[in-house]
Amino acid sequence: EDGIRDHCVTGVQTCALPILVELKGGSGGGGSVNTRYAPGTTVIGKLNVNAGTVLYINVGGKGESGLQSDGNVRAGGWNGGGNGAGNDDPGKLRSGGGGGGASSIALMSGTLEEIGSSNINNILVVAAGGGGSGSGSQGGFGGFGGGFDAGS
């Protein structure tokens, strides 16, 4: 469709261009009382790459949900999700949900942190993860993630 000459094959993925991509960032985790987390962002676009180019695709993980039984910090999702805060006060054991991790397509392997800002030109598309919700009944909604398209 629309100029695609080859299809992806098993093993190392090599595709002719252009290709249509859809990325979804990981959802944030619910809090221990307030479970209103945010979903990750969805980014849809056409990516123009040379035939034979190897693309590295990372799928962001869901943030860990908080518990009322402990006040421990809850882990953020894989690929950059932030940790949810914990409260270990004996009368208020609860924790906020971790943020969702980002999904990304890059020209080199590694998480976004491993690729780093010095190699930003190797990052083609990012769909940010959603925010985790607050811990208490008055805790806020998780924030919605954004997207990034470095062009091609």
Side-chain angles (χ1 to χ4, degrees):
E1 170 192 350
D2 195 22
I4 295 177
R5 289 174 254 158
D6 297 314
H7 298 283
C8 291
V9 295
T10 58
V12 174
Q13 300 293 302
T14 58
C15 300
L17 54 145
I19 58 173
L20 180 65
V21 297
E22 179 176 346
L23 289 179
K24 295 183 180 189
S27 295
S32 56
V33 176
N34 175 5
T35 59
R36 301 174 292 188
Y37 62 87
T41 299
T42 299
V43 175
I44 300 172
K46 192 178 288 187
L47 199 58
N48 292 314
V49 295
N50 294 324
T53 300
V54 177
L55 299 176
Y56 295 88
I57 301 171
N58 289 310
V59 178
K62 182 181 183 337
E64 194 173 47
S65 291
L67 300 173
Q68 282 189 279
S69 58
D70 68 42
N72 295 335
V73 170
R74 307 324 288 182
W78 187 81
N79 205 19
N83 293 336
N87 182 352
D88 59 1
D89 179 358
K92 299 179 181 179
L93 293 177
R94 54 180 69 144
S95 51
S103 294
S104 60
I105 299 176
L107 296 173
M108 60 188 302
S109 66
T111 64
L112 292 172
E113 182 177 8
E114 291 165 350
I115 293 171
S117 60
S118 62
N119 293 304
I120 197 164
N121 291 337
N122 289 308
I123 301 170
L124 302 178
V125 183
V126 175
S133 66
S135 62
S137 59
Q138 300 302 312
F141 286 108
F144 289 90
F148 169 75
D149 180 357
S152 51

